[in-house]
Amino acid sequence: MNALKSLFKGVVQVAILIFISMAMNKIVDVLHLPIPGSILGIAVIFTLLKTRVIKLEWIEQGANWLLAELLLFFIPAAVGVMKYIPMLESDGVRILIVVIFSTFIVMASSGLTASRIAKRKENQS
Amino acid sequence: MITGLLCLLITIALYYVCKRVYKVKSSVYLSPLLVTPVILIIGLLLAHIPYETYNAGGKWLSSLLQPATIAFAIPLYKYYNVLKKHAALILVSVLSGSVVAIVSSLLLAQSMHLDNALVSSLVPRSVTTPIAMSVSQVIGGVPNITAVFVIITGLLGSIIGPMIVKMFRIDNEVARGVLLGTGAHGTGTSKAFELSSLSGTISSISMIVAALFTLGAAPLILSLFSR
């Protein structure tokens, strides 16, 4: 019985989050904001939690479900790469070189910057 | 429609099988985000099913991406104090990383003699899809192609990220979050949550900061480099 109740709670909370995300898209659309609905949604939920207008328990379980299966939601987009197989056949190797090297440099530079700053902080305190 | 629905069910089932396998043997090459689409693409090509038919079912999963992104507000709220403590560090590292992302994508793509539309489509590839697509639009890229580069970056980033962590011995949880969120948006963040919930949270905020910065600064940085 408890398991069923918790399942129901999770489903309702996911539905709430879906509803919020649709509402945010509408707001962005009507006000012509330069940011996507998802970023506005993060800001709005965060603010509502911080000002205690909504309680963490109301959405936490649903949010945890969605975050745990995040990769699943990327898969149809990843399958979409198949539409571009002709482009990848002609330019794919060069594109991959750009993506691999650039991602490597970005991650190494931001990661090393962050760990240097963190170390310096540790030494100071 | 029936095929679409079947594709949806197969995607979910296959994803859970891949996730199981990954739990037993967590090599980066067995990441569900890499293996699941590869198997699906091969299957669709062999069965001569066009992507549009697949996506009639698949789009239901994609539509959950946005509520899932909004759900990042919860770890941000829970770890607010940690974020505040590391605010300066996160800001400095993410902003420098974002500049490196834009400039290195541009210069590398130009040096590969890719045509201009592809170069511009590659520039915003390291940030989350909706932002990357609108930046691409502004700077003369093709938003749909940018979306493909974003997902390729995500796939490769979730392999390259852990390699960098090992190679440079980055043992700081905050730094791990920063590099994954800055370099590989949502998929990097998902990887970061595998490492620890602190890394995941830092990665979510890094992803957001990188997206907003790129939205504002990419056109300016590009104008510096335009000939």
Side-chain angles (χ1 to χ4, degrees):
Chain A
M1 196 56 211
N2 264 338
L4 206 65
K5 219 172 136 187
S6 150
L7 181 75
F8 181 71
K9 200 171 107 186
V11 171
V12 171
Q13 293 188 353
V14 169
I16 294 175
L17 287 163
I18 293 174
F19 175 77
I20 294 174
S21 104
M22 284 169 19
M24 291 306 143
N25 284 342
K26 197 76 204 159
I27 293 175
V28 164
D29 210 35
V30 171
L31 299 180
H32 300 290
L33 298 177
I35 52 167
S38 51
I39 303 252
L40 179 67
I42 295 174
V44 168
I45 301 261
F46 180 83
T47 314
L48 291 178
L49 285 168
K50 206 72 193 145
T51 51
R52 294 177 204 281
V53 176
I54 57 173
K55 283 197 183 129
L56 190 57
E57 304 95 86
W58 295 357
I59 47 171
E60 189 177 17
Q61 192 179 338
N64 285 344
W65 280 12
L66 288 173
L67 288 180
E69 305 307 339
L70 189 64
L71 288 183
L72 174 63
F73 311 139
F74 278 107
I75 286 172
V79 175
V81 172
M82 72 183 271
K83 275 203 302 188
Y84 294 90
I85 289 176
M87 177 187 87
L88 293 176
E89 269 170 358
S90 56
D91 297 323
V93 176
R94 288 183 289 166
I95 290 168
L96 281 181
I97 291 174
V98 174
V99 174
I100 291 173
F101 276 93
S102 172
T103 302
F104 186 92
I105 307 169
V106 172
M107 287 182 159
S109 65
S110 58
L112 288 173
T113 309
S115 69
R116 290 255 165 81
I117 299 177
K119 248 180 216 144
R120 201 183 303 160
K121 251 190 191 166
E122 264 168 40
N123 291 342
Q124 274 172 5
S125 53
Chain B
M1 190 59 221
I2 304 280
T3 322
L5 198 65
L6 203 64
C7 287
L8 173 66
L9 294 176
I10 292 174
T11 303
I12 297 172
L14 192 60
Y15 167 75
Y16 279 103
V17 173
C18 291
K19 216 175 148 177
R20 266 280 162 81
V21 173
Y22 182 69
K23 237 176 210 158
V24 179
K25 198 173 168 357
S26 39
S27 138
V28 284
Y29 304 105
L30 288 176
S31 161
L33 183 61
L34 191 64
V35 181
T36 319
V38 168
I39 297 176
L40 286 170
I41 289 176
I42 294 171
L44 291 172
L45 290 177
L46 289 177
H48 297 287
I49 298 171
Y51 178 68
E52 284 69 23
T53 311
Y54 167 83
N55 206 34
K59 66 168 192 257
W60 293 99
L61 289 175
S62 308
S63 69
L64 285 172
L65 200 52
Q66 205 184 359
T69 308
I70 291 179
F72 281 124
I74 280 84
L76 292 182
Y77 169 73
K78 286 208 281 194
Y79 287 90
Y80 178 67
N81 288 330
V82 188
L83 289 178
K84 221 165 85 179
K85 195 176 136 200
H86 298 291
L89 178 158
I90 295 169
L91 220 56
V92 171
S93 339
V94 173
L95 296 193
S96 61
S98 300
V99 174
V100 171
I102 295 165
V103 174
S104 68
S105 299
L106 176 74
L107 296 181
L108 279 164
Q110 282 176 343
S111 71
M112 289 286 149
H113 303 290
L114 289 165
D115 67 59
N116 282 334
L118 278 183
V119 174
S120 303
S121 304
L122 274 163
V123 164
R125 57 163 191 90
S126 68
V127 300
T128 186
T129 309
I131 299 258
M133 287 174 80
S134 62
V135 171
S136 173
Q137 178 93 52
V138 172
I139 62 178
V142 185
N144 282 331
I145 294 185
T146 295
V148 175
F149 295 154
V150 171
I151 196 80
I152 294 177
T153 300
L155 294 172
L156 295 171
S158 56
I159 297 172
I160 296 171
M163 278 166 52
I164 287 180
V165 165
K166 245 188 227 159
M167 202 186 281
F168 296 102
R169 294 198 189 86
I170 296 177
D171 43 19
N172 184 291
E173 282 179 274
V174 176
R176 289 178 175 182
V178 164
L179 76 89
L180 284 162
T182 310
H185 54 93
T187 59
T189 301
S190 173
K191 189 86 211 170
F193 271 110
E194 262 176 45
L195 300 178
S196 78
S197 51
L198 175 62
S199 295
T201 308
I202 302 283
S203 181
S204 356
I205 191 73
S206 304
M207 168 183 104
I208 297 165
V209 173
L212 294 177
F213 176 75
T214 303
L215 186 65
L220 293 174
I221 295 174
L222 279 189
S223 66
L224 295 178
F225 282 87
S226 62
R227 293 158 297 181

